[in-house]
Amino acid sequence: MGLPNYLFDPSPALVLDASVVINLNATGCVRRILDAIPNPIVILEVVLRELETGRVKGRTDADTVGDLVKSGCVQLAALSPECESNFLALVAGSGATTLDDGEAATIAWSVAHGGIPIIDEKKGSAICRDRFPHLKLGTTIDIFAHEQVQSAFVKADLADSIFNALTLARMRVHDKDMAWVIGMIGPERASICNSLPRSKRAKVVTECLSSEP
C-alpha cells in the first residue's frame, strides 16, 4: 500500500499539520522519512507557533522543525494574501464547522499554492473534503505507506517507527488504514496501542490472528 497515485507526482508540496509533525517526530527518524519523499515539504509558520506552545510541557517538536528548516529538508511558509479568505472562512463560525488555526492555515495555503495538506484529524479532513472537493489530501499513514519511504526502511524498522508514533504521539488512524497499520506492527503490539479505537482494534486483530497459518 502506498500513497494514492496523485501523490507520486513529486511536484506538489506536502503541507504538514501540527499533529503530523508530532507523529513523525515521535518516530525518532523524521529526517530519514522526509528525505525519502521527493516532494517539497512545507510547514506553515502558524503551525510552528502551535508547536512552540508545547515547549512548556517539554515537547521538542518545534525544535525539530527548526532543525529540519535549517537543513533544507523543510520549507517554512507564511500565509500569503491569496490564503486570507479561505483561512478566515475556516476559522470563523461555530465549533462544529471551523478548524484550529494550524489546520486552517495548512488547508488555505494548499488551496492557494497547489499543495497537498497532510492532516490526521477526521474533522479537518471532512471539512476540507466538503469545502474543497477537488483538493487532494493525505495523512501521516499515507507518508509511512509511501512507496519510497517503504523502500528506505526494512519492514521491521518502519514498523517500529509506526508503533512509536502510535504510542508516543497517539497518532490517529482512519478506518480505511487500520488493517494496514495492524498488519505492519503486528496484532500483539496493536492490542496495546490505546490510540487505536478499541472496537476497531479488536475486530482487525481478531481477523489478523484468524488468518495466520
Side-chain angles (χ1 to χ4, degrees):
M1 173 183 172
L3 284 171
N5 289 336
Y6 54 75
L7 288 181
F8 286 128
D9 178 355
S11 300
L14 303 188
V15 191
L16 311 187
D17 185 37
S19 63
V20 177
V21 174
I22 292 169
N23 293 337
L24 294 176
N25 192 29
T27 66
C29 51
V30 56
R31 174 69 186 273
R32 184 179 173 191
I33 292 169
L34 295 181
D35 276 347
I37 295 176
N39 303 67
I41 306 296
V42 171
I43 296 174
L44 273 294
E45 291 177 350
V46 177
V47 170
L48 178 57
R49 288 197 292 272
E50 285 187 352
L51 294 172
E52 286 173 344
T53 64
R55 293 185 194 277
V56 296
K57 298 181 179 179
R59 300 197 64 93
T60 63
D61 306 297
D63 295 329
T64 296
V65 171
D67 291 341
L68 291 170
V69 171
K70 288 178 183 177
S71 70
C73 179
V74 165
Q75 302 172 26
L76 197 60
L79 285 175
S80 60
E82 297 88 348
C83 305
E84 185 175 355
S85 61
N86 282 328
F87 175 76
L88 292 176
L90 289 166
V91 298
S94 67
T97 59
T98 58
L99 301 175
D100 64 37
D101 287 358
E103 284 180 308
T106 297
I107 293 169
W109 193 94
S110 298
V111 172
H113 298 282
I116 298 172
I118 309 298
I119 297 173
D120 282 342
E121 298 295 331
K122 291 182 179 180
K123 177 185 175 184
S125 297
I127 289 176
C128 184
R129 289 190 178 98
D130 180 60
R131 298 193 184 186
F132 309 104
H134 300 298
L135 184 67
K136 309 302 183 183
L137 72 160
T139 65
T140 306
I141 295 302
D142 289 322
I143 290 177
F144 285 130
H146 193 291
E147 184 178 72
Q148 289 180 245
V149 172
Q150 293 191 72
S151 296
F153 286 79
V154 298
K155 183 177 179 180
D157 288 346
L158 184 57
D160 287 344
S161 297
I162 295 169
F163 182 69
N164 287 342
L166 288 165
T167 53
L168 301 177
R170 298 186 63 82
M171 177 174 64
R172 302 292 181 89
V173 178
H174 292 202
D175 291 351
K176 67 181 180 62
D177 298 321
M178 196 72 64
W180 184 84
V181 168
I182 295 176
M184 283 294 294
I185 66 174
E188 293 80 10
R189 287 201 289 187
S191 68
I192 62 172
C193 289
N194 293 329
S195 57
L196 299 177
R198 180 177 298 177
S199 59
K200 299 289 183 182
R201 182 175 70 215
K203 179 177 182 294
V204 179
V205 167
T206 299
E207 291 173 350
C208 289
L209 288 173
S210 64
S211 65
E212 292 181 353

